[in-house]
Amino acid sequence: MIIDIPEGQEPIGYVWGDMVPGIGMAAANFSLSVYSHTTLGLREFEAARLRIAQINGCRFCLDWRTDRDGEKVEESFADAVLEWRTTDAFDERTRLAAEYAERYALDHHNLDEEFWSRMTAAYGQVEIVELTMSLGSWLAFGRLNRVLGLDTVCVLPTH
């Protein structure tokens, strides 16, 4: 980790809260809002989130599983996300969520009419905006945690 964390301080809380409170608290609230206010199904949400985590390489994000009222995706789900093109574990919306996450992170200049035609056939406009904002949150904050090395010292919080 490249940031010096004072002894006794929790790394995420210190970096996000104490070091840059004006930015960090707003970022934390945005990140929490993605989980608290989503209208997306758990499988779609997790397919997109995990694909971003895989691309970012954030260890914390890769270990995390969103819990909705005691329900989480199955253990093999992360492997299916890696194989989103060919897996039979996904319906069309889940596959599109993983595809969109990958293209958003790696090839956003080439989101073409063919992709948007498939996306708008499966998702409403509000869902597309919500998913896009979620992708932005995960890409930015997961990458921040990975680049600064925070992902190696984080402890998974309980919801």
Side-chain angles (χ1 to χ4, degrees):
M1 181 166 54
I2 66 165
I3 303 297
D4 295 324
I5 307 297
E7 191 169 327
Q9 291 284 334
E10 189 277 317
I12 290 279
Y14 177 74
V15 171
W16 286 53
D18 295 340
M19 290 185 81
V20 291
I23 299 169
M25 293 312 296
N29 286 332
F30 175 42
S31 181
L32 290 172
S33 291
V34 166
Y35 292 88
S36 299
H37 301 290
T38 186
T39 63
L40 299 168
L42 179 61
R43 294 179 69 76
E44 300 137 21
F45 186 87
E46 280 293 272
R49 189 196 64 74
L50 275 165
R51 190 65 197 116
I52 294 291
Q54 291 164 347
I55 292 165
N56 279 343
C58 176
R59 295 175 185 161
F60 177 82
C61 304
L62 288 165
D63 288 343
W64 176 265
R65 293 298 176 272
T66 302
D67 183 323
R68 295 237 186 108
D69 300 322
E71 183 182 341
K72 294 182 180 183
V73 294
E74 64 274 11
E75 276 299 312
S76 61
F77 193 82
D79 291 333
V81 170
L82 282 171
E83 303 296 328
W84 64 263
R85 288 172 183 83
T86 58
T87 185
D88 60 1
F90 289 175
D91 63 15
E92 183 63 15
R93 283 175 56 98
T94 304
R95 188 178 318 282
L96 275 167
E99 177 182 359
Y100 186 31
E102 182 173 301
R103 292 179 74 171
Y104 181 92
L106 300 174
D107 195 25
H108 64 284
H109 290 285
N110 291 311
L111 291 168
D112 56 14
E113 285 186 41
E114 184 275 330
F115 170 78
W116 286 118
S117 178
R118 290 184 292 114
M119 193 70 176
T120 57
Y123 286 90
Q125 290 183 354
V126 170
E127 292 175 310
I128 291 171
V129 171
E130 180 183 330
L131 182 55
T132 305
M133 287 187 174
S134 296
L135 292 171
S137 171
W138 299 320
L139 184 64
F141 303 138
R143 194 159 292 180
L144 176 147
N145 289 337
R146 179 66 188 134
V147 167
L148 297 181
L150 297 173
D151 65 325
T152 63
V153 294
C154 292
V155 176
L156 287 174
T158 57
H159 281 275

